[in-house]
């Protein structure tokens, strides 16, 4: 084992490979990428030809598949070890909202954005989301959910047709709306905030895509 150095690499779900660092197995001198210097450490047991990776103060961002590979040539890889870090705390049921574009008399239905099933405040990231629409229910997994500051998850599902309701692990949300202003209360204000937030995300994504396209075209022409 001491004839070859060893590199450590990880891959988060849906992401590319990240190089963590390497260890010189002959001298046990380790080198770490800048973002892995404080909590990651490499050790080895020469007698059993075993390499170890230790991570301290684990967070959900450390959830990934971790690989070891022979240094320089990268021709031999380990099978990979899947590490899943879940936030501490008891299970929390989701709160669900169905957000639909306002349909005015002079608004073309084709110009409206999609309906959104917004799922907030749940833990752990397990179970399925059922979206009920005209042609029947669609079941999706909350794999794209992100962790919020209160250690619960939030996710959104977009559909280009009317969503009647959506549910997750017994919790349900629907698109019934109040028709008069006197029925609006702080919880409705929260819904409006989420709607603005999701529309903002879509606008930023669209502008970024357009900007990238312009740069690509300019590069090809000039």
């Amino acid at each position: 084992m001491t004839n070859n150095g060893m590199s450590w690499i990880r891959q988060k779900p849906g992401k590319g490979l990240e190089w963590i660092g390497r260890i010189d197995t002959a001298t046990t001198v380790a080198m770490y990428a800048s973002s892995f210097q404080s909590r990651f450490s490499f050790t080895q047991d020469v007698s059993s030809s075993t390499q170890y990776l230790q991570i301290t103060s684990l967070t959900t961002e450390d959830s990934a598949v971790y690989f070891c590979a022979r240094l320089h040539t990268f021709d031999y890889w380990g099978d990979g070890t899947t590490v899943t870090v879940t936030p501490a705390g008891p299970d929390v049921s989701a709160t669900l909202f169905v957000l639909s574009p306002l349909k005015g008399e002079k608004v073309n239905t084709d110009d409206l954005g999609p309906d959104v099933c917004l799922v907030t405040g749940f833990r752990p990231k397990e179970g399925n989301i059922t979206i009920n629409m005209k042609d029947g229910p669609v079941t999706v997994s909350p794999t794209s959910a992100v962790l919020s500051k209160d250690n619960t998850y939030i996710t959104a599902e977009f559909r280009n047709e009317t969503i009647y309701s959506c549910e997750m692990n017994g919790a349900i949300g629907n698109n019934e709306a109040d028709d008069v202003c006197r029925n609006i209360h702080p919880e409705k204000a929260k819904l409006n905030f989420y709607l603005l937030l999701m529309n903002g995300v879509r606008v930023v994504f669209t502008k970024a895509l357009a900007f990238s396209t312009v740069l690509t075209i300019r590069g090809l022409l000039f």
Side-chain angles (χ1 to χ4, degrees), residues 19-21 31-40:
W19 185 72
I20 301 171
M31 176 183 295
Y32 303 91
S34 58
S35 56
F36 298 99
Q37 291 180 356
S38 59
R39 299 184 299 111
F40 292 71

Side-chain angles (χ1 to χ4, degrees), residues 177-192:
D178 295 309
D179 294 328
V180 291
C181 292
R182 65 174 177 271
N183 289 332
I184 297 177
H185 49 81
E187 189 64 23
K188 296 300 179 183
K190 186 177 182 181
L191 285 177
N192 289 336

